[in-house]
Amino acid sequence: MSLVRRTIERYVKLTDAEWAVVAPHWQPRDFPRGAFITRTGEVEPWFSIVEQGVQRLFVEHDGSEVCVGFAYDGSWSGVYDSFVTRTPSRFAVQAVTDSRLWSIRREALYGLYDTVPAMDRWGRLILEELLIGRATREIEQLTLDAEARYRNLIRRSPHLLQLVAQKDIASYLRMTPETFSRLRARVR
Amino acid sequence: MSLVRRTIERYVKLTDAEWAVVAPHWQPRDFPRGAFITRTGEVEPWFSIVEQGVQRLFVEHDGSEVCVGFAYDGSWSGVYDSFVTRTPSRFAVQAVTDSRLWSIRREALYGLYDTVPAMDRWGRLILEELLIGRATREIEQLTLDAEARYRNLIRRSPHLLQLVAQKDIASYLRMTPETFSRLRARVR
DNA sequence: GAAGGTTCTTGATCCACATCAAGCGCCGGC
DNA sequence: GCCGGCGCTTGATGTGGATCAAGAACCTTC
């Protein structure tokens, strides 16, 4: 069974008839390491599920970049607010490793929302999950200092350290690469 | 026509028959100034639409409070992640002024999601809006310094300054009351 | 496998904002 | 209408993490 169907069915069950309607709208897209999947200022037409690879989501701000999230196998990837509002994306997405995404276009997904009620529900459940993730992250930023944020990350996502550059993790944790490096040397 | 119906119909149209199913589940709840609507650690059973009053949403962290949002007339109010996951809330909600909310219980809303497809869609649209708001706020925190965040707030929500204490706005903008006070004296 | 770029480390210095402190004024309650 | 307390202001001092700088260890790529 396809990755896309399995991923959707983590949230809602689809009959074979429903899947037959949904399936043709998804297509694979491949990106080599370093390629941009979405650039700042472009409208995001895709919503994607990651089959393989790691991507980083970041904001550009006078010359520097601040990482706000990562996506990897089995998670979704994209810029949801640009996708929804059809406005230029304030975030960029870049493949950190060679990546394969399965993607659906906005018009196709919104068509499915109208024709397949289970997909409308899926949209709601995905968003609930995203929103809960954001709330958790906001609380971490508010209540933890640099060291505690670092400890939290290596506890919760130790694999990230192997996959992406330390400077990206550092900016994700809202600190400079120097501070991150010093923490690594100091902690444990 | 009721506030609740009008508010829902900003997102989806309801037939009179659908409204007849939806309406009985909503009830008014009144809170005097200063009352807690949700306490940290309690599971949030309500989702609410604000008829009148202002509420603040905040995180408690060793003795101090950090404001993460406000709700007022026509906006929603509640702790969505606790509501969805039925886990103890990490946020508290307090009435800043005398408030009237129209609220629906979790079981009732999830029942409506199953019986009234338009409500399932409404849930998705509300979440899209919330997520876009969070993204906007995250970008502000990342790209603006204390003064720019202050200027942004007085431009976008000048009424807030009249409605809530400066210390709450200060913590919402991630600064101390002292820094906020100095900005007010310095800027314009 | 040499060259050149990028990332990571380590040290010295700096600064925006927090913290501490003290006085003032306003508002709400008895 | 007076008292008590919280919120606001203003000044002095402190500090976590940023910035600046320079060398070392990687990867890439040709």
Side-chain angles (χ1 to χ4, degrees), chain A residues 40-104:
Chain A
T40 304
E42 291 176 352
V43 175
E44 170 69 89
W46 302 101
F47 180 84
S48 306
I49 289 167
V50 181
E51 178 168 335
Q52 56 154 299
V54 179
Q55 301 88 46
R56 69 190 182 102
L57 178 71
F58 63 97
V59 178
E60 291 165 283
H61 178 237
D62 46 55
S64 72
E65 302 172 346
V66 185
C67 204
V68 298
F70 300 97
Y72 22 77
D73 301 21
S75 74
W76 74 284
S77 182
V79 184
Y80 204 88
D81 66 321
S82 169
F83 179 82
V84 168
T85 59
R86 282 180 281 206
T87 53
S89 175
R90 300 164 294 181
F91 301 93
V93 183
Q94 187 179 26
V96 171
T97 64
D98 290 350
S99 297
R100 161 166 280 206
L101 310 183
W102 284 86
S103 303
I104 186 169

Side-chain angles (χ1 to χ4, degrees), chain A residues 120-121 124 134 138, chain B residues 114 120-121 124 134 138:
Chain A
D120 211 16
R121 161 133 334 166
R124 177 168 63 73
R134 294 277 103 184
E138 177 155 36
Chain B
D114 287 332
D120 210 17
R121 161 135 333 169
R124 178 169 64 76
R134 292 279 104 186
E138 176 154 37

